[in-house]
Amino acid sequence: MDLYSRKELLAAAALALAALAIGLPLGIPGWALFAVATVGLVYQHRDLRKFVRWAKNPLRRPKFANEGLQQASRSLRRSLKQARRRTREALRQTSHFRGLTAALPDAAILVDPQGNIVNFNNASVLLLHLNREDTGNHLGTLLRHPEAIRLLEQQTPDATAEFSSPFVEGQRLELRRVPVAKDQDLILARDVTHLNRLLSMRQDFVANVSHELRTPLTIIVGYLEVIEDEELDDATLRQLVRKLASPTHRMQTLVDDLLVLTRLESSPTPEPSDLAAVDVKQLVDGVVEDLAGLAGKRHRINQRMSCDLRLLGIEKELHSACSNLIANAIKYSPQGGNVNVSWTDCGDNGAVLEVCDDGVGIAPEHLSRLTERFYRVDRAGGRVRGGTGLGLAIVKHVLMRHNSQLQIESEVGKGSRFYCHFRPGQLQAQHSG
């Protein structure tokens, strides 16, 4: 844009001619032109100073005598206003994005059509190890996995991708691409390791139930076919019917345990009004009497009940947990082995119920999985010993409903210790019951 307009140039020329018209008769044309030029420079200098002052706050409306400066300042003011509007819109979108994603537990990354990072939430820092210097970089180069790159380049059949985390060993990540604007997409990333494990556990559960039922059902069907197809005398028939009792009892026990476990998992946490003061000594006596047949003369069950406190809980559930712990200790103890059951007062730390055995012990890598449904360290040996593989899972859920958890310590060849701790608020003195 020209500094001087045509109108201003014509005005300057007219002033110069007027100066010559006055200066020539007087014999001082040079001085006349100098005077006119000086006045013009003064006016220009004044406008330039005003322009400098205006430039310090260019969003004000400009007012200059010089039309060129006036047009230039107006153009600059419009550009600054447009830039300011764009900045405000970008800040608004950023604030909106942060507000929407701040509470998300999953990572949320805003990317442009090429997959470059525009913005991300705090969860992205933890899950994907992003930092502010990564803004503008391609997300795929940071994740370093072909599945992630194909998703960002929109080369996948759907808008999701799952792959192993490049940051944490054993972790599985799922990415999902969601269009949010014409030139921006939202990439949602989450840790699906636990979800995959749950799905795997569900599949294993169905497979295990099917397997556990298949063997007794096969036995029952086989005996029924013999009874149906052959002419048998009464003695043989009675013998076959007696043989049906064991697999039938096994299936009934499995179904009963499954129903108990389902009820424990689906029932709400007991209310204080649902709890009663349970005499733990009496409870253990009853369990030991019930398991006398299982223990026989091959095992000694020793009770060390030094605590007189009662436990606030649901007696039926606590009986089931205690029964499963003692039965488990009996099954995995050698002939002549000891099973020690104790109920100990720990003062201000509450009380501890403990079941110990001097059996085969458990390797460390199995300890964390013992309370999973149907998990057995020795599958073949477990079936020989009996049981459904659900006992410790039932114990786990009973204790969770009583604000406690099962602790396990074991050493191969030296036995195992199963114990749980109850807080003082869950206990009651005998005389107050």
Side-chain angles (χ1 to χ4, degrees), residues 105 124 215 297 417:
S124 305
T215 301
K297 296 181 179 180
R417 177 187 179 223

Side-chain angles (χ1 to χ4, degrees), residues 107-119:
I109 308 99
L110 204 61
V111 299
D112 63 19
Q114 289 72 44
N116 299 318
I117 299 172
V118 177
N119 208 335

Side-chain angles (χ1 to χ4, degrees), residues 9 189 191 287 301 340 352 386 408:
L9 291 174
D191 181 359
V287 170
I301 303 178
N340 301 314
V352 172
I408 306 173

Side-chain angles (χ1 to χ4, degrees), residues 2-24:
D2 295 331
L3 184 60
Y4 301 105
S5 66
R6 186 165 178 247
K7 181 180 178 181
E8 288 174 327
L9 291 174
L10 290 174
L15 284 174
L17 291 173
L20 288 173
I22 296 172
L24 284 173

Side-chain angles (χ1 to χ4, degrees), residues 126-187:
L126 299 175
L127 187 62
L128 303 180
H129 296 198
L130 297 183
N131 55 62
R132 290 302 160 192
E133 288 74 18
D134 293 325
T135 302
N137 294 332
H138 194 277
L139 181 59
T141 61
L142 301 174
L143 297 180
R144 305 189 302 277
H145 197 282
E147 290 295 326
I149 294 172
R150 279 196 289 269
L151 174 70
L152 292 168
E153 294 177 352
Q154 303 185 39
Q155 296 178 358
T156 54
D158 53 20
T160 61
E162 185 177 322
F163 55 93
S164 298
S165 170
F167 312 109
V168 180
E169 185 177 355
Q171 186 182 55
R172 296 287 293 178
L173 298 178
E174 181 190 77
L175 292 189
R176 183 177 298 273
R177 185 169 189 151
V178 182
V180 293
K182 184 178 179 181
D183 57 348
Q184 288 181 339
D185 286 349
L186 185 64
I187 304 297

Side-chain angles (χ1 to χ4, degrees), residues 184-245:
Q184 288 181 339
D185 286 349
L186 185 64
I187 304 297
L188 297 174
R190 61 173 177 162
D191 181 359
V192 294
T193 309
H194 182 62
L195 178 61
N196 286 350
R197 185 180 178 189
L198 290 177
L199 291 174
S200 178
M201 288 174 62
R202 185 177 69 177
Q203 293 169 351
D204 291 344
F205 173 73
V206 173
N208 284 324
V209 170
S210 303
H211 184 79
E212 294 289 339
L213 290 174
R214 184 182 294 116
T215 301
L217 276 174
T218 301
I219 296 172
I220 292 172
V221 170
Y223 284 138
L224 290 176
E225 288 176 350
V226 172
I227 294 172
E228 182 180 7
D229 294 341
E230 298 184 15
E231 294 183 4
L232 304 173
D233 56 73
D234 290 346
T236 304
L237 186 60
R238 283 194 296 273
Q239 185 180 5
L240 289 175
V241 170
R242 283 195 296 271
K243 289 183 177 181
L244 290 173

